[in-house]
Amino acid sequence: LSFHETAEDLAEHRQLFQKASEEIVQNALVYPSDEERERYVHDALCERITYDLDATMNQSAYSALVNHQTVCAGYAKAFQYILKQLSIPCAYVTGSAEGEDHAWNIVYLDGSWWNVDVTWDDDLEDPYMFFNLKDDVFDETHARRYKNIFKINYMVGGQVSFYVTLVTNVIVCSI
């Protein structure tokens, strides 16, 4: 195991990450609706990223946004991070697809949760084959761990938060 980065490099890497994500956020903000913004982010990530099992830090949003090479976890974490910046509720979920471990997102739009797999949409002839699908369609190819655990809780002031209940553990993630 070898490391080529030091703590002194942290500020530079943080700036690179913020610049890459902010560019997508600002471009998405020209669209009037959350649905159009979500689609823009999806398309921007598909344009910029190449799937690469050997990519440096390939499980991170950083690998997706800065290095432009990642695996499913990086695609899904980058998608979640940017949608959070746009105040669009988005969860990172894991499970399996075609018998392999896999990660993707679920997004809350217009009162419903929608499945989005940016990884699988990248480089497809139909770039929206796995975009905003309901569970009954998505489940034909994907199996989410902890299937029915997402619930919506509306907070005071119009802010939406979602929480995940796993038996006795509660993880709160506010958007």
Side-chain angles (χ1 to χ4, degrees), residues 9 17 24 38 44 70-71 82 85 113 127 145 152 156 166 172:
D9 299 324
F17 180 80
I24 296 172
E38 177 211 16
T70 196
V71 294
I82 293 172
Q85 302 311 301
W113 286 104
R145 286 187 189 97
I152 296 300
V156 176
L166 305 172
V172 179

Side-chain angles (χ1 to χ4, degrees), residues 62-89:
Y62 185 93
S63 68
L65 295 171
V66 177
N67 299 338
H68 307 288
Q69 298 175 333
T70 196
V71 294
C72 59
Y75 278 91
K77 289 174 182 176
F79 190 70
Q80 179 190 28
Y81 179 80
I82 293 172
L83 289 190
K84 182 176 179 183
Q85 302 311 301
L86 294 166
S87 299
I88 300 172

Side-chain angles (χ1 to χ4, degrees), residues 9-10 12 17 23-24 54 58 64 72 76-77 81-82 96 103 112 121-122 130 143 150 162-163 166 169-170:
D9 299 324
L10 184 59
E12 177 187 352
F17 180 80
E23 178 186 340
I24 296 172
D54 298 321
N58 69 11
C72 59
K77 289 174 182 176
Y81 179 80
I82 293 172
S96 62
S112 297
D121 278 344
D122 196 5
F130 297 97
F150 291 92
F162 60 90
Y163 58 91
L166 305 172
N169 299 330
V170 177

